[in-house]
Amino acid sequence: MRPKKLCFLTFTFFTLSVLRVDSTQPPFSCDSSNPSTKAFPFCETTLPISQRARDLVSRLTLDEKISQLVNSAPPIPRLGIPGYEWWSEALHGVSNAGPGIHFNDNIKGATSFPQVILTAASFDAYQWYRIGQAIGKEARALYNAGQATGMTFWAPNINIFRDPRWGRGQETPGEDPLVTGLYAASYVKGVQGDSFEGGKIKGHLQASACCKHFTAYDLDNWKGMNRFVFDARVTMQDLADTYQPPFKSCVEQGRASGIMCAYNKVNGVPSCADSNLLSKTARAQWGFRGYITSDCDAVSIIHDDQGYAKSPEDAVVDVLKAGMDVNCGSYLLKHAKVAVEQKKLSESDIDRALHNLFSVRMRLGLFNGHPEGQLFGNIGPDQVCSQEHQILALEAARNGIVLLKNSARLLPLSKSKTKSLAVIGPNANSGQMLIGNYAGPPCRFVTPLQALQSYIKQTVYHPACDTVQCSSASVDRAVDVAKGADHVVLMMGLDQTQEREELDRTDLLLPGKQQELIIAVAKAAKNPVVLVLFSGGPVDISFAKNDENIGGILWAGYPGEGGAIALAEIMFGDHNPGGRLPMTWYPQEFVKVPMTDMGMRPEASSGYPGRTYRFYKGRSVFEFGYGISYSKYSYELTAVSQNTLYLNQSSTMHIINDFDSVRSTLISELGTEFCEQNKCRARIGVKNHGDMAGKHPVLLFARQEKHGNGRPRKQLIGFQSVVLGAGERAEIEFEVSPCEHLSRANEDGLMVMEEGRHFLVVEGDEYPISVVI
């Protein structure tokens, strides 16, 4: 969305106190003490929500109906309906980035979890669910305290982190469709008040989550091309196995109650005007039950910027007939009535949208009278910034931070032998940097410098650069500081001035003179230095990876309010790092690839290298899933309950011959019963050979023996985290569904299973499964 300017606090070491004082009454409809409204059928909680919504919509005038089609919906006093704000944000904590939430002296802030890209590095779906739970609970507490005018939160961002330069990649769970889909489902279930397994909600939501940006949106502003006019040219194959699966999971598994359609066009059609996308795919195929909002001003650009619609009224007609329900902006408010008068738009099209909108508000309990005594009505201010939630934020940062290098076991540093510490770099004493974007005021704050000072009293600090842009660097002074310390920690990387919404990067190197500074300090220091990188997107640090003077490298993303403490704990051995990269780290030469090319698969004829670990054929600085630990782990695929799969059971099956002579069959023709019956279990033994306990994510991949013809090099089919003590061994099980995990998308976007040998892969261990037609 078009971001509004935010004023950030200057953070120091403090903790927010939540004051228990009388607060403003939360907005709600159907006040039982109001005799003029309690008799309305839409207030009758025993009736089905669909019937209540129809009754309400039937009572509205045309002008009242049109007024409700925008994000800031005004009140309807004659029906006792308060105003409602659809736009609130909760990307990694409840935020005031949208107008639906405001903080004051009653509740001053909310728990700020790590930016999503770092949270994803834990590969822990249950942790993602718990973060969603905490965010949903704090959102409801703000509403109960009268500090929310809406309970619809426009998160998660589940676009694929396709290109390393994308400024909003930090907001996503990374480049893998399975990880992104499971993150979406886990987060949504947590926010909305469902169980981790799903199926708990029977119509009443704790808060509403919204999956965005539907679809194939991952370019903001790159070399003169912006997201408002970009036409993403995407093959059916790439849509089927990369861009759409996260949204399918968000709807089918997470049961999200909201979807946001994106600014960009896909294959010539604006996303918000695409009935095939919104109505046929999301609603008819996936069973979506909720509301669809535009991104902010996305309706206006269909006429004003893209020229797709010939008039403003045509743009309004296009989006409402496609299946969109509410406009973030004012375009529908301005032009819908004229469209009706011109007979381009029927009132029934407006009614359809309003039915979806009021149904979601009713599912939130906002038409059930005063929230006191109702489900979620007892969630008070003490639930915001609770000790439980702050510990979870710390835990998420611990589990996400990735150890990229540890030469000669430099890390962890000794607490007893390290007498002095030099902390150098523009990110060392920054609080704002830690929380990334779309963040509200956090519960508390500790900068990286303060966290390290709590371990080593004799700590000397020098920023060396005024900002991360580092256009000039005090290299000589930094070198002098480094020479006087036992160990040196360099806090470098990026911040929101380098990557954010509406700002994509043009290269993958560290900004300005950061590299020069790092090399000089590392060369002068008594011992190999520790380099800490803060960033959302990957950075080409090949120089540091290969520099023997740089002994340790940690990637800390934007780790949220607990991130600095987590980082210090890892550096001094109070926590064993276990995070793994959720995206490929590309070298600088990747910037030759046009960011506008949406193709996932490599093309030998043009030299196009492909994208993400599934298809990329070039050199990597660090691969997807990379991450080391203070412990060494070994893996063994000890048993798979099936090693041959026969696909000749059905006489009606159509066999497809590819041009490379590999036969395949459509998954849709195998049938649900066949797919269920042929699921199998894969058991993996994992051993911790180190002398520290650790939490370790185990990633299970599948690959085909035959390469090329659009096949992934490998693809992630499952992941689990296991906690092992020093020297401990455990076995974990994965369910393998051949119809899902051994299939791939063909050029028509249909899922097929091919004959031949497939392999289950964990680290270096492989187990073959033969598919026979």
Side-chain angles (χ1 to χ4, degrees), residues 382-393:
D382 61 324
Q383 297 296 301
V384 183
C385 293
S386 66
Q387 184 178 11
E388 177 187 356
H389 293 174
Q390 293 189 56
I391 289 172
L392 179 59

Side-chain angles (χ1 to χ4, degrees), residues 181-195:
L182 283 176
Y183 177 88
S186 302
Y187 172 92
V188 166
K189 285 185 282 192
V191 166
Q192 295 191 163
D194 205 347
S195 65

Side-chain angles (χ1 to χ4, degrees), residues 486-725:
D486 291 341
H487 287 287
V488 176
V489 178
L490 287 148
M491 300 279 187
M492 314 299 286
L494 311 178
D495 64 12
Q496 300 305 302
T497 68
Q498 305 298 307
E499 52 174 358
R500 66 177 186 277
E501 186 169 6
E502 294 197 296
L503 180 62
D504 299 324
R505 288 185 289 160
T506 55
D507 67 47
L508 300 177
L509 300 175
L510 287 168
K513 297 188 176 181
Q514 283 198 37
Q515 180 171 327
E516 176 189 336
L517 172 67
I518 293 166
I519 292 171
V521 168
K523 186 176 181 181
K526 295 177 183 177
N527 294 297
V529 302
V530 179
L531 172 62
V532 179
L533 287 174
F534 297 93
S535 71
V539 181
D540 184 352
I541 53 165
S542 300
F543 77 94
K545 183 179 175 182
N546 300 318
D547 188 337
E548 62 184 13
N549 294 318
I550 299 172
I553 304 176
L554 287 157
W555 175 65
Y558 299 122
E561 67 173 52
I565 295 173
L567 184 62
E569 288 177 343
I570 288 171
M571 290 178 60
F572 283 96
D574 287 334
H575 183 78
N576 192 354
R580 305 182 76 160
L581 294 176
M583 72 295 203
T584 302
W585 283 37
Y586 299 86
Q588 170 66 5
E589 59 259 29
F590 190 85
V591 300
K592 296 175 185 176
V593 177
M595 196 172 171
T596 49
D597 193 322
M598 301 294 290
M600 299 301 298
R601 288 152 167 90
E603 294 179 359
S605 59
S606 65
Y608 183 71
R611 295 178 181 275
T612 78
Y613 79 95
R614 295 161 62 230
F615 303 106
Y616 176 59
K617 297 183 74 173
R619 178 179 71 88
S620 298
V621 180
F622 295 107
E623 294 187 352
F624 170 88
Y626 179 78
I628 57 178
S629 167
Y630 297 153
S631 297
K632 181 179 163 84
Y633 295 90
S634 63
Y635 314 85
E636 182 185 6
L637 265 164
T638 58
V640 178
S641 58
Q642 183 169 311
N643 58 20
T644 305
L645 184 65
Y646 295 95
L647 301 186
N648 57 349
Q649 280 92 341
S650 172
S651 59
T652 61
M653 187 182 298
H654 294 86
I655 305 302
I656 304 167
N657 287 289
D658 291 337
F659 73 83
D660 59 359
S661 301
V662 176
R663 297 188 299 169
S664 64
T665 189
L666 294 171
I667 295 298
S668 60
E669 294 188 352
L670 292 175
T672 303
E673 184 179 353
F674 174 88
C675 291
E676 285 295 320
Q677 288 177 349
N678 283 279
K679 288 181 178 179
C680 59
R681 313 294 296 182
R683 189 176 299 117
I684 298 172
V686 188
K687 184 172 182 179
N688 178 356
H689 295 273
D691 53 10
M692 285 183 70
K695 181 179 180 182
H696 183 65
V698 179
L699 311 186
L700 180 64
F701 294 88
R703 71 171 184 87
Q704 289 180 253
E705 186 172 48
K706 195 169 185 69
H707 298 288
N709 193 22
R711 299 180 184 91
R713 294 171 62 243
K714 64 178 181 178
Q715 59 186 12
L716 186 68
I717 64 170
F719 53 89
Q720 290 184 44
S721 285
V722 58
V723 178
L724 296 173

Side-chain angles (χ1 to χ4, degrees), residues 210-231:
C210 173
C211 298
K212 64 183 186 185
H213 310 80
F214 196 40
T215 190
Y217 164 67
D218 48 21
L219 177 150
D220 268 62
N221 194 344
W222 179 79
K223 293 191 174 181
M225 176 57 69
N226 68 56
R227 57 188 175 163
F228 307 122
V229 297
F230 179 53
D231 186 5

Side-chain angles (χ1 to χ4, degrees), residues 54-76:
R54 277 196 302 272
D55 176 75
L56 193 162
V57 173
S58 72
R59 297 173 184 277
L60 303 179
T61 66
L62 178 60
D63 286 340
E64 286 171 336
K65 289 177 179 180
I66 290 171
S67 76
Q68 299 296 303
L69 295 175
V70 293
N71 63 287
S72 297
I76 308 172

Side-chain angles (χ1 to χ4, degrees), residues 115-124 128 159-162 169-180 183 399-402 404 535-538 555-557 578-586 612-614 622-627 697 699 701 716 719:
Q115 182 61 289
V116 178
I117 193 68
L118 189 76
T119 293
S122 69
F123 286 86
D124 185 341
W128 304 336
N159 296 114
I160 293 297
F161 197 171
R162 169 188 63 94
Q170 60 180 295
E171 301 175 25
T172 77
E175 71 181 35
D176 180 75
L178 175 71
V179 171
T180 304
Y183 177 88
N399 294 337
I401 292 171
V402 182
L404 298 173
S535 71
W555 175 65
R580 305 182 76 160
L581 294 176
M583 72 295 203
T584 302
W585 283 37
Y586 299 86
T612 78
Y613 79 95
R614 295 161 62 230
F622 295 107
E623 294 187 352
F624 170 88
Y626 179 78
L699 311 186
F701 294 88
L716 186 68
F719 53 89

Side-chain angles (χ1 to χ4, degrees), residues 79-107:
L79 297 178
I81 299 173
Y84 186 82
E85 179 55 63
W86 287 92
W87 178 10
S88 295
E89 300 286 354
L91 180 68
H92 54 107
V94 180
S95 167
N96 54 358
I101 295 291
H102 62 277
F103 295 103
N104 58 31
D105 285 344
N106 181 35
I107 301 176

